[in-house]
């Protein structure tokens, strides 16, 4: 644990059980509060019940579970562009009526839980790898910050899927910092999530050595030319991905504007496209037989 945070009243606010150890294991122990927002997922009673049961075994006493219902999932594609943004998050993948409802419930609940908190560590406006619930949590915190003036730090992870969208949001970044991950806490809590079948991430995921956090301007835009700055983030990608080879997710500390990363993202997208095309033709060939 870094000395930078000792004595400071900060909260870690995340969408789902497991987000806190994926993105912020380094700062959990000394947090005033760890707030995990969602519990029940409509049409998935097994996961909802398991999430409720694990709360009794959760080892960190500063954790608070809001138990707010997630919006139900639909088949609508998420388009990571500004015109699809709303005050509630971003359109796609979720029932929008329920998505709006969860935003309002989150806002109401978090006001009381964040009393006497001056700094919040939470999801990014691009949702790390593009998760719409993560984007919603950020929007709630940003909305509340306009009233209560919280200092906001966001998780500095991204994927190729929403790379361009992430870059469009970096104009609000003020500074960045990294802390060594707490692998003991990560492994301990991960085992509990797996025990209760609540680990929703890749089970073989390789955690990076550092958590990255970006401090943001909640009201304004950073006028510095970020492209010329050495901004680093945790790049999430499928390692050993190949033709008919799924690979497994890992993360790596990279310079965000590196050409090497851009080429790697293009390579991954090409492999995904080739696999989709090959699967289509194999399915077609099998159907004809």
């Amino acid at each position: 644990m870094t000395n930078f945070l000792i004595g400071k009243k900060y909260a870690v606010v995340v969408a789902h059980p497991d987000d806190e150890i994926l993105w912020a294991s380094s700062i959990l122990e000394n947090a005033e509060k760890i707030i995990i927002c969602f519990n029940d997922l409509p049409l998935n009673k097994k996961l909802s019940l398991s999430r409720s049961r694990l709360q009794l075994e959760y080892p960190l006493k500063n954790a608070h579970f809001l138990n707010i219902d997630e919006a139900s999932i639909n088949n609508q594609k998420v388009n990571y562009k500004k015109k699809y943004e709303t005050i509630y998050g971003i359109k796609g993948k979720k029932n929008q009526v329920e998505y709006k409802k969860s935003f309002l419930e989150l806002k109401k609940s978090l006001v009381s839980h964040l009393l006497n908190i001056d700094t919040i560590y939470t999801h990014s406006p691009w949702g790390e790898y593009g998760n719409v619930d993560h984007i919603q949590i950020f929007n709630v915190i940003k909305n509340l910050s306009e009233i209560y003036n919280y200092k906001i730090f966001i998780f500095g992870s991204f994927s190729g899927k929403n790379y361009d969208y992430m870059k469009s949001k970096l104009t609000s970044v003020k500074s960045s910092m990294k802390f060594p991950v707490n692998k003991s806490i990560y492994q301990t809590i991960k085992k509990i999530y797996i025990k209760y079948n609540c680990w929703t991430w890749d089970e073989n995921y390789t955690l990076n050595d550092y958590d990255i956090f970006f401090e943001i301007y909640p009201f304004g835009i950073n006028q510095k030319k970020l492209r010329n700055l050495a901004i680093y983030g945790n790049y999430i990608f499928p390692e050993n991905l190949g033709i008919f080879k799924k690979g497994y997710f890992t993360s790596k500390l990279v310079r965000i504007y590196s050409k090497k990363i851009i080429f790697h993202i293009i390579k991954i997208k090409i492999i995904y496209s080739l696999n989709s095309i090959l699967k289509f033709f194999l399915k077609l060939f099998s159907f004809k037989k």
Side-chain angles (χ1 to χ4, degrees):
M1 177 67 195
T2 177
N3 292 332
F4 176 82
L5 294 172
I6 293 175
K8 296 194 176 182
K9 287 194 172 184
Y10 67 92
V12 178
V13 181
V14 298
H16 314 102
D18 76 10
D19 286 330
E20 78 283 12
I21 59 172
L22 284 169
W23 320 118
S25 67
S26 60
I27 62 172
L28 296 180
E29 278 188 306
N30 283 11
E32 190 79 7
K33 290 183 178 181
I34 303 164
I35 301 175
I36 299 173
C37 296
F38 293 123
N39 193 73
D40 286 5
L41 178 62
L43 306 179
N44 194 335
K45 291 184 178 179
K46 184 178 179 180
L47 178 62
S48 302
L49 180 60
S50 295
R51 283 178 172 177
S52 297
R53 290 172 59 206
L54 76 82
Q55 294 178 23
L56 301 173
E57 199 173 324
Y58 198 86
L60 299 180
K61 303 307 177 185
N62 54 348
H64 298 259
F65 295 86
L66 301 188
N67 293 318
I68 291 171
D69 290 353
E70 279 187 50
S72 55
I73 298 170
N74 62 30
N75 294 322
Q76 185 182 0
K77 184 180 178 181
V78 183
N79 196 324
Y80 297 103
K81 292 183 179 179
K82 188 174 180 61
K83 66 180 181 180
Y84 296 103
E85 294 173 355
T86 69
I87 188 176
Y88 313 113
I90 193 165
K91 292 180 180 179
K93 196 173 181 177
K94 294 282 185 170
N95 178 299
Q96 291 303 298
V97 174
E98 295 174 6
Y99 197 54
K100 177 179 178 180
K101 180 182 176 183
S102 63
F103 177 91
L104 297 174
E105 289 180 359
L106 285 163
K107 187 175 176 181
K108 181 179 178 180
S109 183
L110 282 168
V111 167
S112 59
H113 279 84
L114 294 173
L115 289 174
N116 302 317
I117 296 294
D118 51 39
T119 302
I120 298 173
Y121 291 80
T122 193
H123 296 290
S124 66
W126 57 88
E128 291 74 73
Y129 54 93
N131 187 289
V132 296
D133 290 328
H134 296 184
I135 293 171
Q136 181 172 78
I137 296 297
F138 169 80
N139 278 29
V140 172
I141 296 300
K142 184 176 182 292
N143 188 276
L144 289 175
S145 182
E146 292 171 0
I147 303 169
Y148 299 101
N149 200 29
Y150 305 123
K151 183 179 286 189
I152 302 175
F153 289 86
I154 57 175
F155 306 146
S157 296
F158 69 96
S159 71
K161 179 172 69 174
N162 62 340
Y163 177 69
D164 290 332
Y165 188 60
M166 180 264 303
K167 287 194 298 180
S168 74
K169 299 297 181 182
L170 288 179
T171 53
S172 63
V173 171
K174 181 178 181 181
S175 62
S176 66
M177 56 188 177
K178 64 178 184 178
F179 302 142
V181 299
N182 190 323
K183 292 189 177 180
S184 175
I185 281 180
Y186 174 80
Q187 292 296 345
T188 298
I189 299 178
K190 179 182 177 181
K191 286 178 183 177
I192 295 171
Y193 286 138
I194 290 174
K195 174 182 175 181
Y196 286 97
N197 296 311
C198 295
W199 182 254
T200 56
W201 196 236
D202 190 328
E203 192 167 331
N204 296 314
Y205 178 68
T206 304
L207 193 68
N208 198 1
D209 290 333
Y210 292 94
D211 288 327
I212 305 295
F213 303 100
F214 298 146
E215 183 180 1
I216 65 165
Y217 292 101
F219 306 113
I221 293 177
N222 188 353
Q223 298 299 326
K224 295 179 182 178
K225 292 185 178 180
L226 293 171
R227 187 174 293 276
N228 297 325
L229 300 179
I231 300 180
Y232 289 83
N234 277 332
Y235 171 43
I236 305 162
F237 64 95
E239 194 166 49
N240 296 324
L241 181 71
I243 305 301
F244 295 127
K245 190 176 181 182
K246 187 177 180 181
Y248 58 89
F249 279 94
T250 188
S251 64
K252 183 179 181 181
L253 185 64
V254 300
R255 185 170 178 172
I256 289 175
Y257 289 107
S258 164
K259 288 183 180 179
K260 185 177 179 181
I261 294 305
I262 296 171
F263 289 138
H264 189 269
I265 289 170
I266 293 171
K267 174 187 170 184
I268 294 294
K269 287 181 177 180
I270 289 172
I271 293 173
Y272 273 132
S273 296
L274 286 173
N275 278 334
S276 295
I277 292 168
L278 288 171
K279 285 178 183 177
F280 170 78
F281 280 110
L282 283 173
K283 187 175 180 181
L284 185 66
F285 179 76
S286 177
F287 176 77
K288 286 184 176 180
K289 287 181 69 177

